[in-house]
Amino acid sequence: MTHTPPWRRVCDCRCIIHYRLPRTTYNEPGCACTITCATQPLTLLAHQRGRAFFLDQGGDLWHVPAMAIGTWDWDNATKIDTRADVYDAGLVIEHLLRQAANVLDKSTD
């Protein structure tokens, strides 16, 4: 079984903007993708922070705020940079997500 990166997959969650299309922009206005959409990269749900963290196709760490009833505020998704309130934690999370991605990418055959 070969791995297909999220940015090469098509939306399978019936988002009105992306359904059956690729999704490479994570803060597109009107996006209603679920966090389990096929286009969503490896994601860490952080209920304590009210958001989810994920690596984009370039390996940069992003975060998206959670909204009610399992929806996500994609309009306000953004890369974590030095101005982010979670910058220090973001460095550790980014490292751990990269490690997890590397482990998952290795073949277990």
Side-chain angles (χ1 to χ4, degrees):
M1 185 169 157
T2 59
H3 171 71
T4 303
W7 50 91
R8 290 194 180 148
R9 298 178 197 154
V10 294
C11 172
D12 64 353
C13 70
R14 301 198 181 272
C15 168
I16 58 174
I17 303 295
H18 298 110
Y19 186 56
R20 294 189 177 167
L21 299 171
R23 173 179 164 234
T24 56
T25 303
Y26 300 106
N27 54 359
E28 195 165 1
C31 176
C33 283
T34 64
I35 211 70
T36 57
C37 179
T39 65
Q40 186 60 29
L42 181 69
T43 304
L44 170 67
L45 299 178
H47 297 290
Q48 309 89 317
R49 298 282 183 146
R51 64 187 85 191
F53 296 92
F54 61 94
L55 298 175
D56 70 4
Q57 63 195 33
D60 294 320
L61 185 66
W62 283 63
H63 67 111
V64 58
M67 292 174 34
I69 315 169
T71 57
W72 301 91
D73 188 4
W74 292 111
D75 290 7
N76 288 304
T78 187
K79 287 183 184 180
I80 302 243
D81 62 19
T82 56
R83 298 168 298 185
D85 63 337
V86 292
Y87 177 73
D88 291 334
L91 293 174
V92 175
I93 292 167
E94 181 175 358
H95 174 73
L96 293 172
L97 282 175
R98 285 176 193 238
Q99 279 189 316
N102 287 333
V103 168
L104 292 170
D105 282 343
K106 292 185 193 253
S107 175
T108 58
D109 297 332

